[in-house]
Amino acid sequence: MLEFIMRVKVNRYRVREIMADRDINTFTDLARMLGISKNQLSNILSDKFNPVKSNIQQLADFLGVSPSELIEQADEDE
């Protein structure tokens, strides 16, 4: 049986919009508020990184949105 695995990525532009709505100015500020390093947040938001479900959930919970608002399908060639 073949299993289809869809690669997803966090839409960093959507995250930026939500941050602006919540008066969070920088990704450094967001990382600090989440209790993670800026490098960890950069990895989560990177187009090259396939984020773990729990990371997306934590980010969505903190920002007060659904995880589906933060993710999009990654291009096949990424």
Side-chain angles (χ1 to χ4, degrees):
M1 180 202 280
L2 289 175
E3 203 174 303
F4 177 73
I5 299 174
M6 182 176 76
R7 279 196 16 90
V8 297
K9 64 181 180 178
V10 175
N11 182 330
R12 65 186 298 125
Y13 301 105
R14 180 68 182 127
V15 171
R16 265 267 190 232
E17 289 174 351
I18 297 167
M19 287 171 56
D21 290 344
R22 309 243 182 327
D23 293 322
I24 303 169
N25 297 317
T26 66
F27 286 130
T28 301
D29 291 339
L30 179 60
R32 185 178 35 77
M33 293 172 171
L34 288 167
I36 61 175
S37 72
K38 185 174 181 229
N39 284 343
Q40 286 175 290
L41 183 59
S42 292
N43 284 338
I44 293 168
L45 299 175
S46 170
D47 289 345
K48 306 283 184 235
F49 186 77
N50 195 20
V52 178
K53 182 180 175 184
S54 61
N55 290 341
I56 296 170
Q57 187 65 57
Q58 178 188 15
L59 183 59
D61 288 347
F62 180 80
L63 294 173
V65 298
S66 166
S68 63
E69 290 185 57
L70 301 179
I71 61 171
E72 61 187 20
Q73 184 173 347
D75 293 336
E76 290 298 319
D77 57 348
E78 288 184 3

